[in-house]
Amino acid sequence: LLMMENQIMVLLLFISTTAYLRSLYPTIFDSYKQSSNDNLDPSIAIDNKDKHIGFYGLCWKASRIGERLSPYISVSFIVMAIYIIFIK
């Protein structure tokens, strides 16, 4: 079974990795977005923003979280490291 600590560690590593990749290549996740003009059915209402879809959309969202909440992500890494070294 998957343990909660492992899931949190994978999530933190995923967020920090995508934020690091976005800092190296700023448009890495932007090239995989679906424009609202791509809608073939005019009866379906889509707002004017571009949609980030699929796995690259998930990476884009994780990189945004890593950019905007980087102090909290860093503190989470420190807490997780202390937990793994001393408690577990």
Side-chain angles (χ1 to χ4, degrees):
L1 296 175
L2 295 175
M3 297 175 60
M4 188 63 167
E5 300 91 22
N6 295 339
Q7 292 175 353
I8 292 172
M9 183 58 70
V10 168
L11 182 67
L12 287 173
L13 288 172
F14 179 70
I15 289 172
S16 62
T17 302
T18 54
Y20 177 72
L21 285 175
R22 188 174 172 95
S23 69
L24 289 180
Y25 310 107
T27 60
I28 189 170
F29 303 124
D30 290 337
S31 60
Y32 296 98
K33 63 183 173 183
Q34 178 184 12
S35 177
S36 60
N37 296 333
D38 294 345
N39 187 11
L40 299 176
D41 188 6
S43 64
I44 299 175
I46 294 180
D47 48 359
N48 293 330
K49 296 181 181 178
D50 290 335
K51 303 290 183 184
H52 292 85
I53 56 172
F55 179 72
Y56 288 104
L58 181 67
C59 292
W60 180 82
K61 290 174 187 173
S63 68
R64 287 293 181 177
I65 291 171
E67 288 174 352
R68 295 177 181 174
L69 298 177
S70 61
Y72 297 109
I73 299 295
S74 301
V75 169
S76 300
F77 269 118
I78 292 169
V79 169
M80 187 59 91
I82 290 171
Y83 174 77
I84 289 173
I85 292 173
F86 296 113
I87 298 174
K88 193 171 180 183

